[in-house]
Amino acid sequence: MQISANKLLFISTPVGALGTGIGGGVELTLFNITKEMTRRGYKVEVIAPQGSVMQPFIVKEISGELQIPGQTQTRTSPITMPKNSVLANMWEYARQVQAEYDLIVNFAYDWLPFYLTPFFQIPIAHLISMASYTDAMDRIIEQVATKFPGTIGVHTQTQAATFQLEQECTCLLNGLDLSIYQFCVQPSHNLAWVGRITPEKGLEDAVAAAKIAGIPLKIFGVIQDETYWQNICQDYPTETIKYMGFLSTFELQKELSKCLGLLVTSRVVEAFGNVAIEALACGVPLIAYRRGGLTEIVQEGKTGFLVEPDSVPGLVDAISRLNEIDRYACRQQAEATYSLEAMGDRVEKWFKGILNR
Ligand code: UDP
């Protein structure tokens, strides 16, 4: 098959419009893969919920009610769909236009796109953005992995292991346009925490550790759970926490690059951790719980420290050792593994494998 003129249809997550931050790391991942595949000569169309903005790319906006995020589900949660589902509407649109494309790429962590896979005339690649959460999702992912070998992409081996599909999944890590991320040699006296502000991200541990260490913590991200956030604000003095808002990638890297280190304190198994590679790209060392995708990103003692999960004293100890990390080594790790080109090679190989099958 002739690859150069391939047309790709990217279907976004149905949990929020692109640009709102509710889609978490998927928003940046989708943007960067679109950017790199377009640069490589692919024709890419992006479908996303109404209100989405992903400049300079044009998005086909689809109306309908948003989907509940997968993180809110428990093991036995059934699959639910709202009455006028944006997820269903996006896939109905895809069904109608599929003849114009060579490959559909699904960015949603939802049951429906997996279920629909055998009913489409063109191949579908699924990029799974989270670890295993529900039995229903595990089952449908496993079925697609078996029936359509090679079509499932993940960010890390640790993530694939939560589905027991290490052999079946293609590991893509992630990548960034490193030219956007500035390196800062002389950081200010601040720590950073970046992410959706919601209980599973464990922000309270980062705040507690920053307070003990006596270093202010700059917090960046969408407040997804207002009550959770208010509780943290009540428990901690304003000199410890500085809420910086939800910033564009350009503004985020500018602020992040000036921080001593990034704390990643998730209570759950993260598939990857875009914020971690963004920090590395700015030369900012990582301190993360030894859990999920972060274990494949942090190079112990070289670009950061892995800490016993849920241990605030562990975080405090790692903070005291941040000066052992060479900030250039952090940037170098990003350049070697997480550039757009490196990610593009991995993703293109995955797409070609599916298209040639
Ligand atoms: N982010 C952002 N601006 C902010 C804070 C966060 O654009 O002020 C983005 C960040 O670049 C990253 C995403 O939010 O891409 C968080 O993604 P991550 O993979 O770390 O976690 P997720 O939300 O997917 O669980």
Side-chain angles (χ1 to χ4, degrees):
M1 180 168 290
Q2 177 53 255
I3 294 298
S4 60
N6 274 147
K7 293 193 186 134
L8 310 172
L9 183 61
F10 288 180
I11 309 186
S12 186
T13 167
V15 300
L18 290 171
T20 60
I22 298 297
V26 174
E27 297 190 26
L28 187 66
T29 304
L30 176 54
F31 174 74
N32 282 328
I33 296 182
T34 302
K35 190 170 186 174
E36 182 60 10
M37 290 302 123
T38 304
R39 192 185 70 79
R40 289 177 185 229
Y42 288 78
K43 298 252 179 306
V44 181
E45 186 183 3
V46 177
I47 306 179
Q50 190 92 52
S52 287
V53 181
M54 199 178 84
Q55 275 170 356
F57 304 103
I58 293 164
V59 176
K60 170 72 188 168
E61 295 176 59
I62 303 282
S63 63
E65 287 172 54
L66 299 173
Q67 199 72 13
I68 304 166
Q71 300 97 328
T72 61
Q73 313 281 292
T74 63
R75 272 268 133 226
T76 53
S77 291
I79 302 303
T80 57
M81 301 270 292
K83 186 177 171 191
N84 176 26
S85 159
V86 73
L87 174 65
N89 296 347
M90 288 195 291
W91 283 83
E92 171 55 20
Y93 174 81
R95 188 186 67 78
Q96 287 169 23
V97 300
Q98 60 178 314
E100 297 165 32
Y101 297 90
D102 299 297
L103 177 69
I104 292 175
V105 185
N106 167 39
F107 288 82
Y109 188 92
D110 286 281
W111 184 86
L112 186 70
F114 290 91
Y115 177 77
L116 289 176
T117 303
F119 299 99
F120 272 69
Q121 259 81 62
I122 65 166
I124 302 176
H126 300 271
L127 178 47
I128 304 184
S129 58
M130 299 199 301
S132 161
Y133 266 91
T134 73
D135 294 342
M137 278 299 291
D138 286 11
R139 188 184 164 99
I140 197 81
I141 290 171
E142 193 194 339
Q143 285 173 344
V144 171
T146 308
K147 262 196 211 154
F148 302 93
T151 62
I152 309 282
V154 290
H155 294 290
T156 55
Q157 284 297 330
T158 311
Q159 177 198 4
T162 67
F163 301 100
Q164 283 148 26
L165 293 174
E166 297 97 312
Q167 303 308 317
E168 290 81 357
C169 294
T170 305
C171 184
L172 301 162
L173 308 175
N174 234 341
L176 304 169
D177 180 351
L178 295 174
S179 69
I180 296 174
Y181 296 83
Q182 294 160 27
F183 181 81
C184 171
V185 203
Q186 290 288 345
S188 60
H189 194 64
N190 287 290
L191 292 163
W193 188 95
V194 186
R196 288 175 293 108
I197 298 173
T198 171
E200 82 257 15
K201 294 287 184 180
L203 171 59
E204 66 276 25
D205 286 10
V207 176
K211 184 173 178 232
I212 298 168
I215 306 175
L217 181 69
K218 289 192 172 177
I219 299 166
F220 306 86
V222 168
I223 300 173
Q224 209 172 4
D225 187 327
E226 185 64 44
T227 315
Y228 171 68
W229 171 241
Q230 286 309 329
N231 287 341
I232 289 176
C233 293
Q234 269 162 26
D235 291 348
Y236 290 93
T238 46
E239 3 6 309
T240 303
I241 50 177
K242 296 184 186 170
Y243 179 59
M244 307 294 288
F246 175 69
L247 305 182
S248 67
T249 298
F250 183 73
E251 294 300 327
L252 174 65
Q253 63 78 31
K254 226 162 67 183
E255 292 297 329
L256 180 58
S257 68
K258 290 183 275 190
C259 294
L260 289 169
L262 175 79
L263 304 183
V264 188
T265 48
S266 295
R267 301 249 179 259
V268 296
V269 173
E270 294 281 356
F272 189 69
N274 276 351
V275 298
I277 64 169
E278 294 188 87
L280 291 178
C282 299
V284 174
L286 306 173
I287 295 175
Y289 285 151
R290 189 177 287 108
R291 178 182 268 156
L294 278 304
T295 59
E296 291 177 44
I297 300 175
V298 176
Q299 293 179 349
E300 182 69 31
K302 192 172 177 209
T303 60
F305 300 102
L306 288 168
V307 169
E308 187 196 335
D310 310 316
S311 164
V312 172
L315 294 174
V316 177
D317 181 53
I319 292 169
S320 72
R321 297 179 60 198
L322 274 174
N323 57 2
E324 294 171 26
I325 305 289
D326 175 2
R327 293 172 78 91
Y328 286 104
C330 298
R331 172 76 191 190
Q332 273 162 14
Q333 188 189 346
E335 283 172 5
T337 314
Y338 307 119
S339 66
L340 271 193
E341 294 73 22
M343 181 202 61
D345 288 348
R346 294 186 288 263
V347 170
E348 190 170 21
K349 191 170 163 212
W350 179 43
F351 288 169
K352 282 184 179 174
I354 299 169
L355 288 165
N356 291 333
R357 199 158 274 142

